[in-house]
């Protein structure tokens, strides 16, 4: 099988993701990272009334400059009386503007003279936040399929909403494979062993999407046990994500078991890291067989499995932003696959440079943990220092 370009593989894989219709109502405090099941519109204006943007004095702009009597005190949360003609109201940030006032003058610009205050000229409307400046009744606040971030949750709360309808979380089974793997916390490593890191990074990546992990544990490199476990989790999960065992070695049994117990639709992508990714189904349940090298598992999850999971759950897949940054390194030899290089960013504006974080081996996690982003290098391309690159921030992966 020849290598499939990422864009082509994504198109084929995403075409199989039919959205999940189930919804549930959650409190806003439990909504972070969840995907909205319906658009939400505002039923009130924000702010609900004209209010002061500053601490100072509310006046009729026609009465200033001049020295005015202070006729009332209007702190935030109070209901001010109409402004008596020719007077000023002492006012604080967030307090409603008394009717009759049309400007606020900063307290720093006022001079107090016992119960009177000397004020400079004011423009009508100055330092007043108008009713509905932020939100008008009927405005759409969030869209169906949108992922909820902290700022969206705050926006919903600002119109008095405390629960929201989101798509029900997918159940995603995670299985790792490898005789060499030992679980963190289970004691020191014996000869030949390493700790199972993919189980944790993949679980974290899935949880960050608001989805539920069905923990399938780690399996030995044994075809029967792997195949049986895949069939078992296929019943309980909407999707299976495995790590390891999809390459061409004699101990790589995951791909074989996908073929044996289901069907393999895509295998081997023209990307680096992550070439041996396999996609198919077992007992009708879609499966992403990710490569075992930790950076390959992380990157292929982010590039391929994540958009599928989002769409399947009902979310809208937003392409990761790519920012132009100049290379602070050279890549003299062109590759045959699309490459995702781990980079840190230094400097600002025109002087910003992307530097390789160190070893680009797919087994090296430190250079992923240190990275600010990945630079995307097209196949057949060389890079000279100062060339423009496209960098995807790691936070968007
Ligand atoms: P594989 O894809 O099974 O051939 O594994 C490729 C490399 O990744 C090997 O060096 C494995 O030891 C390592 N590896 C596989 N699975 C994991 C895992 N869950 N955690 C950490 N390293 C792994
Ligand atoms: Mg293995």
């Amino acid at each position: 099988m020849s290598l499939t370009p990422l864009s082509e593989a994504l198109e084929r894989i995403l075409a199989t993701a039919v959205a999940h219709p189930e919804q549930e109502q959650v409190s806003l405090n439990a909504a972070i990272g969840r995907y909205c099941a319906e658009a939400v519109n505002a039923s009130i204006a924000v702010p609900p009334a004209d209010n002061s943007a500053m601490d100072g004095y509310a006046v009729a702009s026609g009465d200033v400059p001049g020295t005015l009597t202070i006729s009332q005190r209007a702190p935030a949360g109070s209901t001010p009386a109409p402004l008596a003609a020719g007077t000023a109201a002492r006012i604080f940030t967030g307090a409603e503007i008394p009717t009759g006032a049309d400007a606020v003058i900063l307290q720093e610009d006022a001079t107090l003279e016992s119960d009177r205050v000397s004020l400079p000229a004011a423009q009508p409307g100055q330092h007043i936040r108008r009713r509905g400046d932020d939100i008008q009744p009927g405005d759409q606040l969030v869209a169906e399929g949108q992922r909820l971030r902290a700022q969206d949750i705050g926006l919903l709360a600002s119109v008095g909403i405390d629960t929201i309808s989101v798509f029900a979380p997918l159940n995603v089974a995670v299985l790792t494979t490898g005789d060499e793997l030992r679980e963190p916390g289970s004691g020191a490593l014996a000869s030949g062993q390493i700790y199972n890191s993919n189980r944790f990074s993949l679980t974290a990546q899935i949880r960050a999407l608001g989805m539920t992990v069905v923990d399938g544990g780690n399996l030995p490199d044994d075809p029967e046990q792997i195949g049986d476990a895949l069939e078992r989790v296929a019943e309980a999960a909407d999707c299976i994500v495995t790590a390891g065992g999809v390459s061409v070695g004699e101990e790589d049994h995951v791909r074989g078991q996908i073929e044996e117990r289901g069907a393999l639709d895509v295998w081997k992508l023209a990307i680096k890291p992550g070439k041996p990714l396999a996609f198919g189904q077992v007992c009708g349940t879609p499966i992403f067989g990710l490569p075992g090298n930790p950076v390959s598992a992380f990157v292929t999850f982010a590039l391929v499995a994540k958009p599928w999971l989002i769409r399947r759950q009902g979310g809208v897949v937003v392409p990761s932003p790519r920012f132009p940054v100049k290379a602070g390194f050279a890549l003299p030899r062109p590759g045959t696959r699309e490459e995702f290089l781990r980079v840190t960013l230094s400097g600002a504006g025109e002087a910003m440079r992307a530097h390789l974080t160190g070893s680009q081996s797919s087994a090296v996690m430190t250079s992923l943990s240190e990275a600010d982003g990945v630079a995307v290098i097209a196949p057949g391309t060389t890079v000279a220092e100062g060339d423009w690159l496209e960098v995807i921030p790691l936070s968007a992966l």
Side-chain angles (χ1 to χ4, degrees), residues 2 11 31 35 62 116 119 152 156 182 184 220 238 240-241 259 268 317 324 373 382:
S2 62
E11 207 171 296
Y35 287 82
R116 287 161 68 79
L119 297 165
D152 308 317
L156 291 165
R182 176 134 199 181
D238 299 302
I240 306 168
V241 174
E259 285 178 309
K268 284 194 174 174
V317 175
T382 58

Side-chain angles (χ1 to χ4, degrees), residues 176-177 180-181 194-199 243-247 252 291-294:
T176 58
T177 66
E180 74 280 28
L181 298 178
I194 59 169
Y195 286 117
N196 187 347
S197 59
N198 291 339
R199 187 175 175 191
V246 287
S247 198
D252 291 327
N293 271 309

Side-chain angles (χ1 to χ4, degrees), residues 131-293:
R131 175 181 192 277
D133 253 357
D134 185 358
I135 299 166
Q136 291 286 341
D139 281 357
Q140 183 175 305
L141 304 176
V142 291
E144 180 185 335
Q146 179 186 332
R147 180 170 196 262
L148 289 167
R149 304 159 300 169
Q151 56 269 45
D152 308 317
I153 289 169
L155 182 67
L156 291 165
S158 77
V159 300
I161 287 172
D162 70 334
T163 64
I164 181 160
S165 181
V166 294
F167 288 111
L170 288 184
N171 292 313
V172 184
V174 173
L175 274 90
T176 58
T177 66
D179 289 338
E180 74 280 28
L181 298 178
R182 176 134 199 181
E183 295 309 312
S186 72
L189 297 175
S191 155
Q193 295 182 330
I194 59 169
Y195 286 117
N196 187 347
S197 59
N198 291 339
R199 187 175 175 191
F200 289 80
S201 53
L202 290 170
T203 295
Q205 285 176 292
I206 293 164
R207 293 232 170 102
L209 298 174
M211 298 174 188
T212 305
V213 171
V214 178
D215 186 0
N218 184 57
L219 296 165
D221 290 311
D222 172 76
E224 285 311 305
Q225 290 190 56
I226 290 173
D228 290 350
L230 292 181
E231 288 192 358
R232 204 169 50 242
V233 295
E235 295 234 334
D238 299 302
C239 176
I240 306 168
V241 174
T242 65
V246 287
S247 198
V248 292
E250 281 162 26
E251 298 293 343
D252 291 327
H253 302 299
V254 173
R255 180 178 47 87
Q257 288 303 305
I258 296 174
E259 285 178 309
E260 185 91 12
R261 317 241 182 171
L264 185 69
D265 298 327
V266 177
W267 183 45
K268 284 194 174 174
L269 302 187
I271 60 172
K272 187 179 176 185
K275 178 169 84 170
L277 176 126
F279 174 75
Q281 51 86 14
V282 169
C283 303
T285 302
I287 177 166
F288 290 89
L290 309 181
N293 271 309

Side-chain angles (χ1 to χ4, degrees), residues 197-206 208 241-244 271 273-274 277 289-307 340 342 362-365 367-374 392-397:
S197 59
N198 291 339
R199 187 175 175 191
F200 289 80
S201 53
L202 290 170
T203 295
Q205 285 176 292
I206 293 164
V241 174
T242 65
I271 60 172
L277 176 126
L290 309 181
N293 271 309
V295 180
S296 307
F298 179 92
V299 168
T300 50
F301 180 89
L303 293 176
V304 185
K306 180 177 161 182
F340 296 86
R342 287 149 261 170
S362 56
V364 171
M365 284 291 269
S367 60
L368 180 61
S369 180
E370 282 163 15
D372 297 316
V374 289
I392 303 175
L394 218 59
S395 56
L397 260 193

Side-chain angles (χ1 to χ4, degrees), residues 24-93:
E24 60 187 30
Q25 196 77 12
V26 295
S27 98
L28 277 193
N29 275 333
I32 185 75
R34 303 295 298 271
Y35 287 82
C36 297
E38 56 193 25
V40 177
N41 294 62
S43 58
I44 62 161
V46 177
D50 293 357
N51 69 90
S52 180
M54 294 291 181
D55 293 331
Y57 294 87
V59 296
S61 54
D63 291 342
V64 286
T67 301
L68 305 180
T69 302
I70 302 168
S71 56
Q72 63 173 309
R73 190 171 179 278
S78 65
T79 308
L83 186 68
T87 71
R90 178 73 170 118
I91 198 162
F92 299 90
T93 304

